[in-house]
Every structure is written in structure tokens, then in C-alpha cells.
Amino acid sequence: MEKRRRNYRIWIRRAGALALVAALAWRQPFPAMATSKAEREKKEAEQGLDEANRKADEAQQKINNTQSEVAALSNDLAALIADISLLEADIEYKNEQIRGAQSEYDQAKTREENQYDAMKKRIKYMYERGDTEYLDILLQVKSMTELLNKSEYIEALYTYDRNKLTEFQETKLQVKQYKAQLENEKAEMEGMQLEYAEQQANLESTIAQKRTQIANFDEQLEAAKKEAAAYTATIAKKNEQIRQAEAQRKAEEKRKAQEAQRLAAEQSRQAEEASRAAQAATATAAEESSTAAVIAQNPGVWPSDFGLTQTAAPPTTAAAQTRETTGGSPIGGPGGPGETTAAPAKTSSKGQDVVNYAMQFIGNPYVFGGTSLTNGADCSGFVQSVYKNFGVSLPRSSSQQRSAGTAVDYADARPGDIICYAGHVGIYIGNGQIVHASSPSTGIKVGNAAYRSILSVRRIFN
């Protein structure tokens, strides 16, 4: 009995222990589950905060981007509007030049036709007389003195005919030059109109794209127009100075050419006078010799009784007089008062190499969008490809090339510099000229650097 009781107490204790273990085992999962849920909620909250921060950053970035776009748009619009305004002004200026060239060509053509008609009448007159005018004059002379006088008349007549022929030839050349100038002006106009159309299309595309993206677009557009107006006014003022300087340079070149032509004509006249003086001296000597022979055969008889005249010593020739008054140096020659020495222009050997290379492709075609120096290039493609030959990588478009290298004043431009215009570029070759891919009708050619408004001059090789 006692043994049974002891076994029962042992069983009760074991059951209690088992119950306690079971209770402990049953109560343990509840704290673990509560901790996991809290951590999950915390993690979700953190993720939500990160997402909110990310969206806030994106919103701020969009605001910043919009502000940058507005600023960039304003600059782009101002640049495009300025280019179009300058192109419009250049086109109007070119129209004035075309009208002037047309007027000069028409006037020269009229002179050519009038001179041609006068020469035809002269030729007809000589033909009808059997071309014996000069011979008839010579056959009518009766003495050496009369022969000399007639010879001077014949020479004057011959000089008149020759001068008229020369004048006609010069007029024909002038007509040809005016015609070439007129065609060149029209070709340049064609190139500018192409550039204008491209710039206008870019502006319209930019306006259409951005008007829906920026709330205050119209305000930005007005601000861009004001900025462009101020810029174009500055460029116009600078280019007026450039054109005046170019006009003075051309006037000086023309004056020098006319002076050289005058000196050449003066030297020719002096040579002719010297020749006539020598002929007169020879004729006088012959006449005096004949007179002396007559007097020797008829002593006491005056030469006038035989129709002979005493002549004075031959005059000093104009050429000799010139040598006496100038000390042996012709006017304007070396050491003379008309001599001028131009200071050599500063140049860069690399820049000159660029020019020499670019000049090889004159006459090759203009192709819009092209970069081939042989098969065709547009203005910026031509400049880019020329400089690529010297290991220089330039941007593709003319507007981008406007920022290449370093800026210099046009007055300091050197061969190899890039001359930038609205929608156009060329390479400066010196003496106020550029080589550039001009237009589809003229291709790669040499032209006047100041033929339109210059926006900037960029130096690649210092």
C-alpha cells in the first residue's frame, strides 16, 4: 500500500513537470511573433519614408531641371532669334549690293554698246575710203618739216584709234567683272537664304516643343527677344566699323592701283616723247646738213629763199628732265617720295598650313550636311574636315564651332582663324578674304570676309 502511494506521488510529480514543460513550451511563441511583427512594421515604415524621400528628391530634381530648361531655352531662343535677325539684316544689305551691282552692270553694258557702235562707224569709214587715210596724208607732204608735222598728226590719229580700242576693251572687261560680281552677290544671297530657312525651322521647332512644357513660355520668349535685340545691336555696330575699315582698305588699294597705272602711263608718255624728240633731232640734223650743202653751193643766198628753215637745238627730252628733277629716281619708285612699305602681317605657320591645305579644294561642290572635301561639304563640314587633317577635332555645327578655340578681334585676324557668321563659317586666308563652302551654286570658293555680319573670330592655333 505504501509502495503504491509512493508510486502515485512520483507519477504526480512527473505529470506536473510535464505540464510545466508543456506550459512553458506553449507560452514561448507569443513574444517571438510580436517581435517579428514590430520589426516588419518598422521596416515597412522605413521603406515608406525612403520612398517619400525619393519622390521628394525627384520632385525637386524636376523643379531644378525645369529651371535649367527655362534658362537653356531662354539662351537658345535668344541665339536663334539673334541669328535670324542678323540674317535678315544681311539679306537686306546683300539686296542693296545686288541692286548696286545690277546698276553698275547696266551702265557699263550701255557704254560698251555705245563704244561698239562708234567703232563700227569708224571701221566702216576707213573701209569705204579704202583704208588709205594714213597713206594719203604721207603722199601729200612736200618737205621734211611738213613730213614731221604730218607724222605728228598721223601719230595723234593712230593714238586716238588705239585709245578708243583700249577703252572699248577695258569697258568689256569691266562689264565682265560687274557681271561676275553680280552673279557672286546672288550666289551669296542664295547661301544666306538657305541658312535663314534652316534657322527659322529650328526656331519654330524649339517654340513648338517647349511651349507646352513651360508655363511661362511667352514671358521667356519676350525676354529672349529683348536679349537678342541687344546682342544684334552690338554686333551691327561692330560690323559697321568692320565694313568702314574694309571700305578704307579697298579705297587705298584702288588708289595705289590707279597711282601705279598713272605712273606707268607717265613713263610710257615720257618714252614716247623721248622717241619723238630723238626722231626730230635726227630729222633736224638731216635738214641742217641739206641746208649747209645748199648754202655751200650758193654763197650769199638765205636758206629761206629755198624754202628751208633754221632750227633750234633739240629740246631736252621729258625723260631727261625727269631724271634731272628727281635725281635719277622715278617718282614713287624705290627711294622716291611715293614709296610706301607695308608692315608684314603677323601669321602662324600652322594657321598658314591650314590655309594652304584648304585652298586645294576650291571649286569642289557644296553639299548640305556633307563633310567630304572632294565630294562635297557644307560650311561647317568643310572647316571641320580641314582642321581634322591637322589633328584638331572641331564640333560639327557652325553654331558650336563659334565657341571653339579662343576669341580674337577681327582686326587681329590671322590666316587659319575661323570667321563665324549667323549659320555660317569660313577660314580666314588674309587680306580680308576667306575660303569657305559658300552655296550649292558656287561650291568651295574664296570670298570677302566682311560680305556679311561677323559674329566672332576663333583662333585654333595660337
Side-chain angles (χ1 to χ4, degrees):
M1 185 73 176
E2 182 64 27
K3 184 178 179 180
R4 188 181 297 123
R5 289 177 181 170
R6 188 171 53 251
N7 290 336
Y8 177 76
R9 287 194 297 269
I10 292 173
W11 182 84
I12 290 296
R13 285 198 296 270
R14 288 180 178 175
L18 289 172
L20 179 61
V21 171
L24 290 174
W26 178 78
R27 293 177 62 186
Q28 185 64 32
F30 286 94
M33 291 178 62
T35 301
S36 176
K37 180 179 180 182
E39 288 179 352
R40 186 171 62 253
E41 289 177 350
K42 179 182 178 182
K43 186 175 182 180
E44 289 175 354
E46 289 176 348
Q47 290 176 346
L49 179 61
D50 291 342
E51 180 67 16
N53 288 334
R54 185 183 65 78
K55 289 181 178 180
D57 290 341
E58 287 181 355
Q60 184 61 45
Q61 186 61 41
K62 286 181 179 179
I63 293 173
N64 294 339
N65 290 341
T66 301
Q67 291 174 345
S68 298
E69 285 181 5
V70 169
L73 173 64
S74 179
N75 292 334
D76 291 344
L77 283 175
L80 281 171
I81 293 169
D83 282 357
I84 289 174
S85 298
L86 289 168
L87 273 167
E88 288 173 346
D90 285 344
I91 287 173
E92 178 56 32
Y93 179 72
K94 186 59 62 179
N95 272 323
E96 292 177 4
Q97 290 182 312
I98 288 174
R99 287 191 289 268
Q102 183 70 55
S103 176
E104 290 174 341
Y105 171 75
D106 293 341
Q107 292 174 13
K109 190 67 177 175
T110 300
R111 287 198 305 272
E112 178 190 20
E113 292 170 353
N114 292 338
Q115 291 171 3
Y116 180 68
D117 289 340
M119 289 190 66
K120 283 198 302 183
K121 291 178 180 178
R122 173 68 175 158
I123 293 170
K124 180 181 179 182
Y125 170 77
M126 295 177 67
Y127 175 78
E128 290 175 348
R129 287 178 56 87
D131 198 18
T132 60
E133 184 176 6
Y134 298 110
L135 182 60
D136 289 344
I137 293 173
L138 289 174
L139 292 177
Q140 291 172 7
V141 300
K142 296 180 179 178
S143 67
M144 186 64 70
T145 302
E146 190 176 359
L147 175 62
L148 290 174
N149 293 334
K150 295 293 186 182
S151 296
E152 291 179 358
Y153 175 74
I154 290 174
E155 184 177 0
L157 191 62
Y158 168 74
T159 301
Y160 172 82
D161 288 339
R162 185 184 61 184
N163 289 343
K164 286 298 180 183
L165 178 60
T166 301
E167 183 181 355
F168 176 68
Q169 291 171 338
E170 289 176 350
T171 301
K172 282 184 67 68
L173 178 61
Q174 194 177 52
V175 169
K176 184 178 179 181
Q177 291 172 342
Y178 281 143
K179 184 177 182 181
Q181 178 187 351
L182 183 60
E183 291 174 349
N184 181 61
E185 302 283 5
K186 290 180 178 179
E188 288 174 349
M189 170 70 81
E190 175 190 3
M192 283 191 287
Q193 287 173 333
L194 287 174
E195 291 157 11
Y196 179 85
E198 182 183 2
Q199 297 286 8
Q200 186 70 27
N202 290 339
L203 178 61
E204 291 174 354
S205 174
T206 302
I207 289 175
Q209 179 184 359
K210 298 299 183 182
R211 185 179 291 277
T212 58
Q213 298 177 7
I214 298 176
N216 61 339
F217 177 82
D218 290 335
E219 295 178 8
Q220 294 295 325
L221 182 59
E222 289 302 316
K225 287 180 179 179
K226 291 180 180 179
E227 183 179 349
Y231 173 71
T232 53
T234 301
I235 292 296
K237 184 176 180 180
K238 180 183 290 187
N239 276 274
E240 182 60 29
Q241 296 172 349
I242 290 174
R243 284 169 180 157
Q244 289 177 358
E246 284 295 298
Q248 292 175 356
R249 182 184 65 82
K250 289 183 178 180
E252 181 63 17
E253 288 180 352
K254 184 178 181 180
R255 185 193 66 77
K256 289 181 178 180
Q258 290 175 341
E259 180 65 15
Q261 187 177 10
R262 186 191 67 77
L263 288 174
E266 178 66 17
Q267 290 173 355
S268 176
R269 184 188 65 79
Q270 291 175 358
E272 289 179 358
E273 287 182 356
S275 177
R276 285 198 298 269
Q279 291 175 1
T282 301
T284 300
E287 187 171 355
E288 288 177 347
S289 175
S290 175
T291 301
V294 171
I295 292 173
Q297 294 175 3
N298 302 275
V301 179
W302 291 96
S304 57
D305 294 337
F306 292 91
L308 303 176
T309 58
Q310 290 285 79
T311 58
T316 304
T317 64
Q321 291 174 347
T322 301
R323 286 193 295 271
E324 290 174 2
T325 57
T326 60
S329 176
I331 298 175
E339 181 181 15
T340 58
T341 303
K346 293 182 180 180
T347 184
S348 164
S349 59
K350 286 186 177 180
Q352 189 60 53
D353 290 342
V354 168
V355 169
N356 296 339
Y357 180 72
M359 297 287 278
Q360 300 178 64
F361 305 103
I362 292 175
N364 288 349
Y366 174 103
V367 174
F368 183 77
T371 58
S372 172
L373 297 173
T374 53
N375 297 326
D378 58 18
C379 62
S380 56
F382 171 70
V383 172
Q384 183 190 53
S385 296
V386 167
Y387 267 96
K388 184 178 180 181
N389 183 70
F390 295 88
V392 177
S393 178
L394 291 179
R396 177 62 183 88
S397 70
S398 59
S399 59
Q400 292 171 332
Q401 289 178 6
R402 206 183 298 173
S403 301
T406 57
V408 296
D409 289 336
Y410 175 73
D412 300 324
R414 299 193 311 218
D417 291 346
I418 300 175
I419 308 295
C420 303
Y421 312 88
H424 192 69
V425 286
I427 298 174
Y428 190 68
I429 64 176
N431 199 31
Q433 293 185 311
I434 58 170
V435 57
H436 61 143
S438 175
S439 68
S441 60
T442 56
I444 299 172
K445 54 169 277 190
V446 170
N448 179 16
Y451 81 105
R452 53 188 295 191
S453 297
I454 296 173
L455 302 187
S456 64
V457 181
R458 312 299 298 186
R459 180 160 296 159
I460 307 301
F461 295 123
N462 292 319

